[in-house]
Amino acid sequence: MSTNPDATSDDFPWARDWPEITDPRVRAAFARVPREEFVDPALRKWADRDAPLPIGEGQTISQPFVVALMTQALQLQPGHKVLEIGTGSGFQTAILCELTATPEGVPGETVYSIERFPSLAARAREVLHRLGYRPHLAVGDGAAGWPEAAPFDAIIVTAAAAYLPRPLWEQLADGGRMVIPLGARYEQTLWLLRKEGERMHRQWLGPVRFVPLVSPILRDPAMRVEMSNG
Ligand code: SAH
C-alpha cells in the first residue's frame, strides 16, 4: 500500500462531482492520497463515498468535498508552513503534506497538526508514516496554536468553534490565510480569513457541520477575536 504517484489529477472517486474544485494541484492531491487507509477496516467499503465517517472517540473523518473546498481556499504552495487543528484521521493532514511538499524535501516537514485525543493522534501518525508523510503532530488544545513554529502561511481548523481563537489569529503570518468553521453546535459557517497587516478580510465559503472544537481556553473572552466586517 502506498500513495499513487502515477495517478492523474482526476483519478479519485468524486472527480466528476466537484466542478467547484478547479485547482489542479488540489485535485492531484486527492488522486494521490488513499482515503480508505484512514478509516477503520470495517468501514473501508464506504471510504469512496463523499460523506463523513466515524473514526472513534465520537469524531468523524470529514466529507471529502469539504476537505477539498477548505484546502483550495488556502492556496497552498510548496514550502508553505501550515497548521491544522483537529488531526482526526489524518486524511486532511496528508492532503496538506502533498500540497506543501518540495522536490528536495520530505512531505510534511512544514505541516503541523494538533489533535485532542491521544488515541486518534497515534493512529493518524501510524498511517501517515506508513504512507511516507512526516508532519509534526502534537496532542493538546489546538486553540492555543503552536507558538514555537509560528508564523504560519496557512491555518486550517477542522472542528467548529464558537469564537475565533486569538492565538490562531496571532500566529497567522501577514498575508496568510485561515479557514475556520464558526457558529453554533449543529450549524456553522465556513470562513476564509485573510490577514493583511492589522486588517482581517473575510469571505463566506458556505454552511457546514463539524464536530465541536473543545477548548477550555476559549472560555476566557480575552482568548477570542471579534470578527470584523469586510
Ligand atoms: N481533519 C480531520 C477532522 C476530524 S474531526 C479528518 O478529516 O479526519 C475534528 C477533530 O478535531 C476531532 O478529531 C477532534 O477530536 C479534534 N478536536 C476538537 N477540539 C480540538 C482541540 N481543541 N484541539 C485539537 N483537536 C481538537
Side-chain angles (χ1 to χ4, degrees):
M1 177 260 318
S2 65
T3 59
N4 182 359
D6 302 322
T8 68
S9 66
D10 270 355
D11 210 352
F12 57 95
W14 322 286
R16 277 188 285 164
D17 306 328
W18 289 359
E20 301 88 342
I21 307 303
T22 52
D23 183 336
R25 294 189 68 244
V26 173
R27 297 182 76 94
F30 274 85
R32 286 174 55 85
V33 179
R35 186 173 189 246
E36 64 278 10
E37 298 298 335
F38 293 86
V39 302
D40 188 89
L43 296 175
R44 235 158 241 180
K45 59 176 178 293
W46 310 108
D48 65 357
R49 296 225 174 159
D50 197 0
L53 287 169
I55 56 172
E57 307 283 9
Q59 308 303 315
T60 53
I61 180 173
S62 303
Q63 178 188 353
F65 176 70
V66 175
V67 176
L69 196 68
M70 293 172 85
T71 306
Q72 180 167 265
L74 294 176
Q75 297 189 353
L76 294 171
Q77 296 301 321
H80 269 180
K81 197 188 263 192
V82 50
L83 174 65
E84 176 189 31
I85 311 306
T87 315
S89 67
F91 177 72
Q92 167 84 74
T93 320
I95 297 286
L96 300 174
C97 292
E98 285 287 344
L99 286 162
T100 56
T102 58
E104 61 283 0
V106 181
E109 63 188 355
T110 61
V111 175
Y112 295 76
S113 185
I114 307 173
E115 169 55 48
R116 225 181 119 227
F117 285 104
S119 60
L120 297 182
R123 203 181 325 146
R125 177 186 302 270
E126 186 265 315
V127 180
L128 288 162
H129 276 222
R130 196 150 33 91
L131 292 170
Y133 302 113
R134 292 291 181 276
H136 306 264
L137 301 175
V139 173
D141 181 358
W146 197 314
E148 301 80 5
F152 296 96
D153 301 300
I155 298 180
I156 178 168
V157 182
T158 70
Y163 308 96
L164 171 58
R166 180 171 299 281
L168 298 184
W169 182 248
E170 287 175 350
Q171 290 172 34
L172 188 64
D174 194 7
R177 293 170 165 258
M178 182 182 334
V179 176
I180 181 169
L182 286 170
R185 174 70 182 86
Y186 291 110
E187 195 179 76
Q188 308 100 33
T189 296
L190 191 60
W191 291 101
L192 167 64
L193 309 179
R194 282 184 303 116
K195 189 177 191 173
E196 271 170 32
E198 296 300 300
R199 277 186 64 88
M200 178 193 293
H201 299 275
R202 65 181 201 191
Q203 189 182 326
W204 184 87
L205 295 181
V208 284
R209 183 192 284 192
F210 277 87
V211 298
L213 182 80
V214 179
S215 173
I217 72 164
L218 288 180
R219 284 191 214 124
D220 177 358
M223 284 294 189
R224 312 167 184 166
V225 178
E226 292 303 320
M227 295 274 287
S228 61
N229 287 316

